[in-house]
Amino acid sequence: MDGSTNSLDDVSAESSTGSPDRLSLMEVRLQAQEDEITLLKSSLADALRKLRLHEQQIPLLKQQLIAVNPAAARVLNHSCYVDGFSKPCRLSTSSLDGFHHTSNSHISNTAENGEGGAKTISSHKPSTSDRCTQTEPWLLNHETVPLALTRTSQSLSLEDALPEGVPFADETLTKLRGEEEDGDEDEREKDQTWSSLVEDTIQPTTVRTLQQQLSKGSEDSQGSCPQTPTSSSPAPPKEPTSSPHGGPLSPIREGEKALVRRNSEKSKDSQDKTKQRLSKKAASSTNLLTRSPSLESRAKDLISSTDDLCVELPIYESLINASHIHPWIQNNNGSQGSRRGTQNQSIKMFIRGRPITMYIPSNILNYEELKMDLPSQKLDLDWVYGYRGRDCRANLYLLPSGEAVYFIACVVVLYHISNQTQRHYRKHTDCVRCLAIHPDKVRVASGQTAGVDKDGKPLQPFVHIWDSNTLVTLQQIGLGTFERGVGSVAFSNSDAGTFLCVIDDSNEHMLSVWDWNKNIKHAEVKSTNEAVLAVEFSPTDTNNIISCGKSHVYFWTMSAGTVTKKQGIFGKYKKPKFIMCFVFSLTGDVLTGDSEGNILTWGKSAADIKTLGKGAKETFQIMKQTRAHEGSVFTMCVLQGGAILSGGGKDRKIIRWSADLAPERECEIPEKFGAVRTIADVDGDELLVGTTRNAILRGTFSDGFVAIVQGHLDEMWGLATHPSQNIFLTCGNDRLVCVWNAEDHKLDWCTTLEESGLCADFCPNGALVSVGLSTGRWVVLDLQTKEVVSDLTDGNEQLSVMRYSPDGSFLAVGSHDNFIYIYNVTEGGRRYTRFGKCTGHSSFITHLDWSKDGKYIMSNSGDYEILYWDVASGCKLLRNRFESKDREWASYTCVLGFHVMGVWLEGSDGTDINALCRSHSERMVAVADDFCKVHLFQYPCPKPKAPSYKYEGHGSHVTNVRFTHKDIHLLSLGGKDTCILQWRVKGAGTGDHKEHLASSSSVCSSSSSPENGT
């Protein structure tokens, strides 16, 4: 992640999402540049201040050195041999550091002769980590350990302090030294005057004495400091250069000593003030570095250059030591691969440029070595709740096996009516739109819509032909041919189902005929720009096809790979807006049902030569019109004996007609199920009826109809599971609150609210359930009486989460007005009094959980915030989030948190995960994403690229997931697909989940997720 992205750290999600993208990008770049300039200025100022301070101390240190050991003065004028080259020596700050660090440097007596012996001083430049910021106590008291005895001479000039291969004429060094020379001319003159007083050379005995006292002084001053022995190749001996002053070293006057002490005390005060200013400046630089990791390399270069000048900036070293574990996760303490304790460490996760800090729990000793495995459990699709009848036709059939075939979302369901079991065909990748049954009543064709992938790119639709006995796909046709989706399919009848006719959802509604077994397209033609609702082959002639839709009915003829059409002529009859459906009577007539409530009988008439001339052709015209229903005729069905059934829209009636369209019987389905969408014959008397309110009814004309399949009508968001029974509750934008039995796979009861229900939670006693609505209202329902026992309102915006504390004494209500309302719960959940309000979020509340002791709340908001609240102390916001890192949570539904950080994919925008839920065993976590998938991860899941099982089935964004009370089932809600999928959890493992936190020892290398959990 580049610096531009990271500079969003201190930009709120409100401003980043509310401003135009271009303006936001410009602001980000400008802020990054300002931060960069400020950092460089601060670092340069720190370096110059420290350099000036050291240069001011040089004359005093030289005087102190001469005062302690006058015989050592001569060595300061000697040439020093470094790597075989002679350089003039001048004492510097680097030299003083060299005296102190005996572990990295030493004085080597390389040669002695009868005339006194020439001495070579060898040195090693200490590492940056060895040089620490110190207060130089030796400036305060002249009686302390002599400087020459406690510090080994490593380098006697600033030139020698440079690393090997770096010339002294470095541009940065020259510039800095030039500025110092202009600003401190007086100090430079004092330095030159002092140097002229040095006359004597250092004798061999002086060097030995220094070495002996060095060893003693090093033990006293450094104690347990680690010793790193170093070696150096001695340089060739060289005779000392004669001093222009041949006499002995002049004694330092008493007044000058007093002056040294006074200057030392004054210098200490100035040093303390300077260091305080530098600490503050370094702290501000810390913020800049954490905001913009792109400055790391420049900061490192700056530190390296200031190291050569003996300017110590350890704070920047610690700042840039943080390792990047993942492009959107940064370890803020310690380097990657560190084996040290992580008790004070935190991890930063970035979503849309916003940093989210996660503190590592104390029981994780080696975060970098945590191993992320696949969960020991898997999911199997156990049951599908719902039916798509609101906008699809001809999607309910009965197989000879006694199974009803229908679809919802991406699943084709085979429901055995007598045994009440389900099987599922799950090879589709997006919502199924149409069905057709082969004449053998075994093979099935199903077409799907195109859909889009996670990047918004359109996927290609196709048709699958599959065996209903084995659920094996026999053929896939049309991949890359159809556009947008497949609207209608039909098998031919007269030739034993050799051909398949398909009409897609493109603008021209292309009609194509396929030899599906060979996957060969025989013909293709543009149909119409209007909507097409149905297509069928003639039962007696494969070359004749009929289609109908908006304001048309077409009669197609296929010959030698070409298809021609003739439009039905309405003549004197009113042209309806829609031809909704059609059937072939046993006499060969075509009967259509339209939006005017009429059944029209079509026939072929001879060519009208008198009117149209000799070139006139035969036409299809209306032979008869029969008034059937009030409102549209949605469906028609031909029974075995030739009788005809019609289903009405507005009147919700099912009428049985004789072969000559004389009404025989009729019945009306209950209003709560909606209009008749499709009819399937069971045995001539019993019927299956699909309705527009997503229900499938079973019954007869005499006994009436009961629902065997029911579902929601609109997008669902609210989901709650009972604390002790296998029942669950759902609610959504259709204003329905439904309570389902997960064992019997049935709807226990349903009620309609005045407003949309968006969230819910069961009271821990299991007798009541709270439902949050879209207007700020929330109601409490009694599960036995189905009555509302409490009705309250918090704010005027929609509620997003309801959560009872583990003991049921509190209820937390999360709202889109950014507040969490806390209520005292009494009288077994029937009485609620306001306890407090949690104020502190800057965006709407999305998720929250209670701690196991019922005293604290963890909450997420729309701007990716994680906040912690002390409810017992008056809904107090816990400013120090570090204190909550070891807290245990009764549930885990917050999508942002350390334990679920690994469920987020790289590049996620914060809305990719709608919900998650930890199992009651605390060994797995289920995730509902925005790409129609349900994921199953191991819990905890704190590492990026954690592997997971991925399960398909939903045809829309998955809005919620929950485990039942014993983790036997997982429930997932689809958004626009109105589908509830019930997954059976299999292969449950045992063991304490906490052991996985501390015992994992290696990072999982797998970043891919097994498809479909297999």
Side-chain angles (χ1 to χ4, degrees):
M1 186 174 292
D2 59 15
S4 297
T5 304
N6 283 338
S7 64
L8 286 169
D9 292 3
D10 56 348
V11 180
S12 67
E14 273 187 303
S15 63
S16 63
T17 56
S19 302
D21 293 340
R22 183 174 299 178
L23 180 59
S24 176
L25 182 60
M26 293 176 63
E27 292 177 351
V28 167
R29 291 177 177 174
L30 180 60
Q31 183 63 41
Q33 293 175 358
E34 292 178 352
D35 290 348
E36 204 168 341
I37 293 173
T38 305
L39 173 64
L40 295 175
K41 286 183 178 179
S42 173
S43 302
L44 183 59
D46 291 343
L48 293 176
R49 289 191 188 95
K50 282 186 171 273
L51 185 61
R52 184 178 294 108
L53 179 62
H54 285 72
E55 289 293 340
Q56 291 174 354
Q57 295 171 356
I58 287 177
L60 304 178
L61 298 178
K62 291 178 179 179
Q63 293 179 9
Q64 185 175 3
L65 178 62
I66 298 303
V68 171
N69 192 352
R74 180 65 61 87
V75 74
L76 298 177
N77 282 341
H78 271 280
S79 296
C80 299
Y81 292 90
V82 180
D83 296 332
F85 292 63
S86 177
K87 297 182 181 179
C89 297
R90 194 161 62 94
L91 190 62
S92 68
T93 308
S94 164
S95 306
L96 301 177
D97 281 344
F99 277 112
H100 182 69
H101 296 286
T102 60
S103 62
N104 293 328
S105 59
H106 63 278
I107 297 177
S108 176
N109 185 5
T110 59
E112 293 185 15
N113 52 33
E115 298 176 358
K119 301 295 174 289
T120 301
I121 302 175
S122 65
S123 63
H124 287 274
K125 185 179 182 296
S127 63
T128 304
S129 60
D130 290 334
R131 292 198 301 275
C132 308
T133 304
Q134 303 179 27
T135 56
E136 279 88 5
W138 36 269
L139 286 174
L140 306 179
N141 189 354
H142 196 66
E143 303 293 329
T144 56
V145 179
L147 182 65
L149 301 181
T150 58
R151 299 194 176 187
T152 307
S153 178
Q154 167 195 304
S155 173
L156 298 183
S157 68
L158 290 175
E159 297 90 322
D160 296 332
L162 291 174
E164 296 181 10
V166 177
F168 175 67
D170 183 85
E171 182 179 353
T172 303
L173 180 60
T174 305
K175 182 176 180 180
L176 290 174
R177 179 162 292 181
E179 293 177 358
E180 288 301 314
E181 289 176 357
D182 294 339
D184 300 320
E185 183 176 355
D186 294 339
E187 294 295 334
R188 180 163 46 85
E189 292 176 356
K190 291 181 181 179
D191 187 26
Q192 293 174 353
T193 303
W194 180 86
S195 300
S196 64
L197 297 177
V198 181
E199 298 178 355
D200 295 338
T201 60
I202 298 179
Q203 301 299 322
T205 55
T206 305
V207 177
R208 294 192 189 96
T209 303
L210 285 174
Q211 289 178 328
Q212 294 172 1
Q213 294 182 350
L214 165 65
S215 176
K216 180 179 179 181
S218 176
E219 294 175 358
D220 295 338
S221 61
Q222 296 189 1
S224 59
C225 185
Q227 299 293 319
T228 306
T230 60
S231 61
S232 175
S233 300
K238 181 180 180 180
E239 292 297 329
T241 305
S242 301
S243 172
H245 302 276
L249 182 66
S250 302
I252 301 178
R253 294 185 296 272
E254 190 68 21
E256 294 182 14
K257 290 184 181 180
L259 181 59
V260 169
R261 295 190 183 97
R262 287 196 297 270
N263 290 342
S264 299
E265 294 172 359
K266 184 176 181 180
S267 176
K268 176 183 181 300
D269 295 336
S270 63
Q271 284 181 61
D272 293 340
K273 294 179 181 180
T274 302
K275 290 182 180 296
Q276 293 176 2
R277 291 195 299 270
L278 292 177
S279 299
K280 293 179 180 180
K281 182 64 68 175
S284 64
S285 301
T286 302
N287 296 331
L288 292 174
L289 278 171
T290 56
R291 290 179 196 166
S292 184
S294 65
L295 304 180
E296 288 181 1
S297 59
R298 301 194 183 187
K300 287 181 178 179
D301 295 340
L302 182 60
I303 292 166
S304 176
S305 63
T306 53
D307 266 346
D308 296 337
L309 295 173
C310 302
V311 179
E312 301 166 4
L313 301 173
I315 182 66
Y316 299 126
E317 293 179 14
S318 62
L319 288 176
I320 63 175
N321 226 3
S323 63
H324 293 277
I325 300 176
H326 197 255
W328 51 274
I329 294 181
Q330 176 180 349
N331 185 349
N332 289 342
N333 296 277
S335 60
Q336 186 174 0
S338 172
R339 295 182 177 271
R340 294 174 298 176
T342 59
Q343 295 179 352
N344 295 324
Q345 285 191 1
S346 64
I347 301 296
K348 271 191 178 180
M349 170 182 171
F350 291 86
I351 294 183
R352 300 185 74 176
R354 184 182 180 92
I356 305 172
T357 302
M358 319 278 189
Y359 290 98
I360 302 177
S362 301
N363 59 348
I364 297 182
L365 302 180
N366 297 295
Y367 172 80
E368 293 83 0
E369 297 183 355
L370 278 179
K371 183 179 180 181
M372 293 292 98
D373 293 323
L374 288 167
S376 57
Q377 302 84 358
K378 292 185 178 181
L379 301 178
D380 274 341
L381 185 58
D382 179 56
W383 201 264
V384 177
Y385 299 88
Y387 156 76
R388 184 168 181 172
R390 69 189 188 278
D391 60 353
C392 291
R393 296 164 177 80
N395 60 351
L396 177 62
Y397 299 93
L398 186 69
L399 299 178
S401 62
E403 294 172 307
V405 182
Y406 59 93
F407 59 78
I408 184 171
C410 302
V411 183
V412 181
V413 181
L414 294 90
Y415 173 58
H416 199 288
I417 299 174
S418 300
N419 299 338
Q420 297 184 2
T421 58
Q422 282 187 356
R423 295 187 298 140
H424 311 101
Y425 179 75
R426 299 174 52 201
K427 300 302 182 181
H428 285 283
T429 59
D430 213 293
C431 289
V432 182
R433 290 290 309 279
C434 54
L435 276 178
I437 305 299
H438 194 272
D440 64 7
K441 303 297 183 182
V442 174
R443 286 171 283 192
V444 180
S446 52
Q448 71 168 57
T449 188
V452 295
D453 62 10
K454 62 182 297 183
D455 298 323
K457 298 179 180 179
L459 299 175
Q460 295 177 335
F462 53 80
V463 175
H464 274 175
I465 296 93
W466 47 279
D467 191 307
S468 62
N469 292 330
T470 62
L471 301 181
V472 174
T473 303
L474 304 176
Q475 191 64 265
Q476 174 180 282
I477 65 172
L479 186 66
T481 301
F482 308 134
E483 294 183 17
R484 297 183 183 172
V486 178
S488 301
V489 292
F491 281 104
S492 59
N493 288 281
S494 61
D495 58 358
T498 302
F499 293 99
L500 181 74
C501 182
V502 182
I503 297 182
D504 68 9
D505 288 334
S506 62
N507 291 335
E508 295 82 10
H509 293 93
M510 300 297 295
L511 184 150
S512 56
V513 178
W514 300 74
D515 184 338
W516 65 267
N517 200 30
K518 299 178 181 178
N519 200 2
I520 297 175
K521 182 168 61 176
H522 274 247
E524 184 177 33
V525 65
K526 293 181 180 179
S527 173
T528 176
N529 290 332
E530 303 291 351
V532 178
L533 303 180
V535 65
E536 286 288 346
F537 282 93
S538 170
T540 58
D541 188 355
T542 302
N543 293 323
N544 292 332
I545 302 171
I546 299 177
S547 65
C548 68
K550 184 177 181 181
S551 302
H552 76 271
V553 55
Y554 292 145
F555 298 85
W556 304 85
T557 302
M558 183 173 61
S559 175
T562 62
V563 180
T564 59
K565 73 177 178 180
K566 292 182 180 180
Q567 184 170 355
I569 306 300
F570 289 92
K572 63 180 181 179
Y573 298 97
K574 179 183 177 181
K575 187 176 183 179
K577 187 175 182 179
F578 286 96
I579 302 296
M580 309 294 296
C581 57
F582 67 89
V583 293
F584 293 92
S585 68
L586 295 182
T587 61
D589 294 331
V590 177
L591 306 178
T592 62
D594 60 36
S595 57
E596 300 297 325
N598 298 319
I599 296 177
L600 303 177
T601 303
W602 297 78
K604 185 184 296 185
S605 63
D608 188 358
I609 300 176
K610 294 181 180 180
T611 305
L612 302 177
K614 294 183 179 180
K617 298 180 180 179
E618 62 181 8
T619 59
F620 293 89
Q621 296 182 352
I622 298 173
M623 310 299 293
K624 180 182 178 182
Q625 176 177 287
T626 304
R627 183 65 179 175
H629 292 273
E630 180 183 354
S632 298
V633 180
F634 276 163
T635 185
M636 299 178 70
C637 174
V638 179
L639 303 179
Q640 294 178 358
I644 299 170
L645 298 176
S646 65
K650 186 176 180 180
D651 60 8
R652 305 188 313 280
K653 289 182 179 180
I654 301 175
I655 302 176
R656 179 185 174 113
W657 306 83
S658 64
D660 57 356
L661 292 181
E664 295 181 347
R665 303 184 66 178
E666 69 175 48
C667 68
E668 183 177 326
I669 65 174
E671 182 180 3
K672 65 179 181 179
F673 298 126
V676 179
R677 176 62 75 189
T678 186
I679 301 173
D681 180 23
V682 176
D683 56 7
D685 186 20
E686 187 177 15
L687 303 175
L688 293 179
V689 180
T691 73
T692 57
R693 290 180 67 85
N694 295 346
I696 297 178
L697 311 181
R698 179 188 182 189
T700 62
F701 282 95
S702 57
D703 297 334
F705 293 87
V706 295
I708 59 174
V709 175
Q710 288 180 266
H712 277 271
L713 311 177
D714 205 344
E715 188 174 20
M716 297 175 291
W717 283 93
L719 174 63
T721 54
H722 196 276
S724 60
Q725 302 176 29
N726 283 330
I727 63 175
F728 62 95
L729 178 144
T730 58
C731 55
N733 292 338
D734 55 6
R735 299 187 291 119
L736 294 178
V737 174
C738 301
V739 176
W740 308 82
N741 191 311
E743 290 183 354
D744 298 335
H745 309 120
K746 292 182 179 180
L747 178 66
D748 280 352
W749 59 268
C750 180
T751 186
T752 302
L753 302 175
E754 297 178 1
E755 299 147 10
S756 300
L758 301 179
C759 53
D761 193 35
F762 281 92
C763 185
N765 61 22
L768 303 108
V769 63
S770 296
V771 180
L773 308 181
S774 59
T775 59
R777 287 182 57 209
W778 55 278
V779 296
V780 181
L781 302 175
D782 189 304
L783 292 180
Q784 296 297 325
T785 64
K786 308 174 189 176
E787 296 179 352
V788 176
V789 299
S790 185
D791 188 339
L792 297 95
T793 301
D794 288 312
N796 56 4
E797 298 192 40
Q798 71 181 52
L799 304 180
S800 52
V801 57
M802 310 283 291
R803 189 79 68 238
Y804 283 93
S805 62
D807 60 358
S809 60
F810 289 103
L811 173 65
V813 181
S815 172
H816 269 229
D817 62 6
N818 304 355
F819 301 131
I820 301 174
Y821 301 91
I822 308 297
Y823 283 84
N824 267 321
V825 182
T826 55
E827 300 180 8
R830 296 178 177 272
R831 181 179 177 82
Y832 296 82
T833 55
R834 176 76 70 83
F835 175 79
K837 182 170 68 172
C838 299
T839 304
H841 274 293
S842 56
S843 184
F844 57 90
I845 311 302
T846 58
H847 308 83
L848 66 84
D849 292 290
W850 286 89
S851 62
K852 290 185 176 180
D853 58 12
K855 296 180 180 179
Y856 302 93
I857 284 178
M858 169 176 59
S859 59
N860 293 167
S861 60
D863 57 352
Y864 325 124
E865 237 180 358
I866 307 174
L867 296 184
Y868 299 90
W869 312 87
D870 187 347
V871 176
S873 299
C875 304
K876 180 182 178 182
L877 173 63
L878 299 178
R879 301 289 180 181
N880 187 0
R881 293 188 290 123
F882 174 78
E883 298 176 354
S884 300
K885 65 185 178 68
D886 294 325
R887 190 161 288 123
E888 296 185 349
W889 303 100
S891 62
Y892 212 118
T893 60
C894 288
V895 298
L896 297 174
F898 173 80
H899 294 84
V900 296
M901 187 168 52
V903 307
W904 290 88
L905 297 177
E906 182 180 353
S908 297
D909 70 349
T911 62
D912 293 345
I913 294 179
N914 296 315
L916 61 79
C917 180
R918 183 191 67 190
S919 64
H920 297 86
S921 65
E922 302 187 10
R923 296 189 60 84
M924 54 185 168
V925 58
V927 175
D929 72 13
D930 222 28
F931 311 108
C932 315
K933 305 296 187 298
V934 174
H935 299 262
L936 191 66
F937 289 86
Q938 169 190 287
Y939 181 88
C941 186
K943 296 294 288 292
K945 297 184 178 181
S948 69
Y949 291 116
K950 181 174 63 176
Y951 299 93
E952 300 177 344
H954 285 289
S956 178
H957 54 286
V958 186
T959 58
N960 215 333
V961 285
R962 285 292 184 275
F963 286 96
T964 55
H965 72 290
K966 290 184 178 180
D967 295 337
I968 298 176
H969 294 105
L970 173 72
L971 299 155
S972 60
L973 300 186
K976 293 296 185 181
D977 64 16
T978 69
C979 178
I980 305 171
L981 299 184
Q982 178 174 309
W983 309 85
R984 180 175 296 276
V985 180
K986 65 176 184 178
T990 59
D992 186 3
H993 73 285
K994 295 180 180 179
E995 295 177 359
H996 291 272
L997 289 172
S999 63
S1000 298
S1001 59
S1002 62
V1003 178
C1004 181
S1005 61
S1006 173
S1007 61
S1008 61
S1009 302
E1011 293 289 335
N1012 299 325
T1014 58

